[in-house]
Structures are given as C-alpha cells and as structure tokens.
Amino acid sequence: MCLSLFLNCRILIMPYIKTSPKKLPLTKQLDLKAQKCGLRHTVFAPNGDQYTGEWLDDRKHGKGTQLWKKSGAAYRGEWKCGQCDGYGTFSVLVPGTNKYDRKYCGRWKNGKKHGYGTFFYRNAAIYEGDWSEDQRSGWGRMYQETGDIYEGEWLRDKRHGQGIIQFANGNWYEGTWKDGKKNGEGKFYYCDKGQLYQGFWVDGVAKCGTLTDCERDKAPTPTKYPIPKLHLVDAELVLKEAQSLHHDQRDREEGEDSD
C-alpha cells in the first residue's frame, strides 16, 4: 500500500532565474561617489575656491584650510558642520604678492568670531580680548594707532562698563563707559598739567565733579597758578545733589521722548 502511494507521488521543481542587481540612476551614483568623509586632498569649487582638510557627511568638519579665490582670503583652523568653529586664523592676500597678512586669530563659533581672539586692523591698531558673534563684547584691550590704549569692558563693538584708557601723552581716564563714551562716575588725570578731575560724566562730557592739583610739581606744563582750595561744609552732598538733579532731568527727557 505504502509502496504504491510513494510511486504515485510527483516532485515539482521550480526553475531558478538569476536576476541582475537593480542599478541606481547615474546621477545618484555620482552623488554617492562625491560624498566626502574623512581626510581628503584639495577639493575645488566651481567658483575657484578650494578646501584641503577633513570632512564629515559631505561637510567640512575637523581641521582644514579654505582659500577664497575672489576675495583672496584664507582660513586655517577648525571646522564644524561646514562652518569655522573652534580655533582658527583668518588672513588676507597682500595685493600684488603671494603673501598673506594675518587679520584674526582666535576662537570661532558658527562662522563668526566668538570667544577670545586677536584682531589686526589696517591702521596698525590691535584688539585682543573677548568676541561675541563678530563683535567685541566682554573684556578686551585695544591698542590704537595713535598710541592710546584702552583696557576694560565692551558691548556690541563699543566701550561699555568699567574701563581705563591711557592716552599717548600720559593722560588717563578710569571709570564707567556707555555706548563708547564716558558715562557715570570716573576720574581723569591730566599728567601734563598735574590736575585730577573726579566726578560724573554724560556722553563724554564732564558734568559735575572736583578738580584738584595732583603732582603739579612733576607736570611738564603745569598751569600758571595752582587751583585755590574751596572750603565747603559738605562737598560730597553738593556733588550728590547735582547728580540727582541731572538724573531727574534726563528721566524727564526720556519720558517725553517715549510719549
């Protein structure tokens, strides 16, 4: 019985057809080949710019050097997701030569100067200090081409906060700044005349304070006569009343402007 059933069974064998792998479109193949990751040789852009360095997911990432053909500028340093990020140096090509003039070296973030860095200006001025989104902000020291030196706080590219400026002739000011001008309490030492002013300032102008002789015998060009002593019952009270009067007047003017 079992033998007869076995003889009647039929075995079906399905034919195997070998298929070739599906090819991607040519544009897709070229795109995959162009994906850059890791360290590569120089890559040229259609506009003539060139980059040599590290890549990640087809973007500049790591350490590398970028040359811009049109502007003649160069950046060498760290990159992140296609932008200058980390420590790097930005330079410009000197016209008519193959030499580069360094303009900025320091920290970057998202393609902008951010953190501590040094900037070299065309007129020989130098700034070294903190940056925030391409602007001087925080603490910094500025060497002017005139010989003046400012050291102190900055906000949005202007002197703002506490700071000291020493002028080329030896005079110096120490006090509060606002929007690039002397504002608030401060003292100005006139070493050429041997005088010291202490008081408060408004938009760069001394409004109320005391002027006294200070090392007049050492001054190169002292005034003809010393400043006479003025005896007040309470000199500090007079200054405070003058300051209060000015602040009240300014508040009224600002209130009128807002209306």
Side-chain angles (χ1 to χ4, degrees):
M1 178 71 177
C2 295
L3 181 59
S4 60
L5 290 174
F6 176 77
L7 295 174
N8 292 327
C9 291
R10 297 182 179 179
I11 300 175
L12 298 177
I13 300 177
M14 298 296 296
Y16 173 74
I17 302 175
K18 186 177 181 181
T19 59
S20 59
K22 185 177 180 181
K23 289 187 178 181
L24 296 173
L26 180 59
T27 55
K28 184 65 176 179
Q29 295 180 43
L30 294 175
D31 184 58
L32 291 174
K33 290 181 179 180
Q35 292 291 318
K36 295 171 284 291
C37 189
L39 181 63
R40 294 177 66 96
H41 296 293
T42 302
V43 176
F44 294 88
N47 61 0
D49 297 346
Q50 51 182 290
Y51 171 81
T52 305
E54 297 175 306
W55 298 77
L56 180 64
D57 296 333
D58 207 31
R59 289 190 289 185
K60 301 161 190 170
H61 192 96
K63 294 183 179 180
T65 301
Q66 171 80 27
L67 300 178
W68 288 273
K69 182 179 180 180
K70 185 176 181 180
S71 62
Y75 171 83
R76 174 177 292 181
E78 297 176 305
W79 297 77
K80 184 178 180 180
C81 299
Q83 293 184 320
C84 307
D85 200 297
Y87 185 86
T89 300
F90 181 81
S91 306
V92 294
L93 187 64
V94 178
T97 69
N98 293 325
K99 297 181 180 181
Y100 282 89
D101 192 8
R102 184 176 55 176
K103 299 297 294 183
Y104 174 81
C105 57
R107 306 296 301 181
W108 299 75
K109 185 177 180 180
N110 296 328
K112 296 181 179 180
K113 296 182 287 290
H114 194 92
Y116 188 87
T118 303
F119 192 91
F120 303 88
Y121 295 83
R122 289 183 178 179
N123 54 9
I126 300 175
Y127 170 82
E128 56 181 14
D130 297 325
W131 295 79
S132 178
E133 296 185 346
D134 267 348
Q135 293 184 323
R136 294 167 291 184
S137 290
W139 177 92
R141 185 187 292 114
M142 184 77 183
Y143 299 89
Q144 301 282 3
E145 69 280 6
T146 58
D148 302 342
I149 302 174
Y150 170 83
E151 182 175 356
E153 296 177 298
W154 297 76
L155 182 65
R156 292 189 288 272
D157 252 357
K158 294 182 179 180
R159 300 165 184 161
H160 194 96
Q162 295 296 317
I164 302 174
I165 185 168
Q166 182 175 354
F167 298 95
N169 61 3
N171 296 346
W172 55 267
Y173 166 83
E174 178 181 3
T176 309
W177 299 76
K178 182 180 180 182
D179 295 330
K181 298 179 180 179
K182 307 179 194 71
N183 269 285
E185 297 290 336
K187 54 184 178 181
F188 197 106
Y189 175 53
Y190 301 89
C191 72
D192 54 342
K193 299 178 181 179
Q195 295 178 336
L196 176 65
Y197 169 83
Q198 290 181 283
F200 76 99
W201 304 67
V202 178
D203 296 335
V205 179
K207 288 294 184 179
C208 183
T210 60
L211 184 65
T212 58
D213 288 321
C214 182
E215 298 184 350
R216 187 171 182 274
D217 55 331
K218 299 180 181 180
T221 56
T223 55
K224 186 175 182 180
Y225 300 103
I227 299 174
K229 293 184 178 181
L230 181 63
H231 298 282
L232 296 175
V233 176
D234 193 341
E236 292 185 2
L237 179 61
V238 174
L239 293 175
K240 288 181 180 179
E241 289 179 349
Q243 291 179 15
S244 178
L245 180 63
H246 170 74
H247 291 319
D248 292 341
Q249 181 179 358
R250 175 174 252 188
D251 292 340
R252 287 195 300 269
E253 292 177 352
E254 290 178 353
E256 293 175 357
D257 293 338
S258 62
D259 293 340

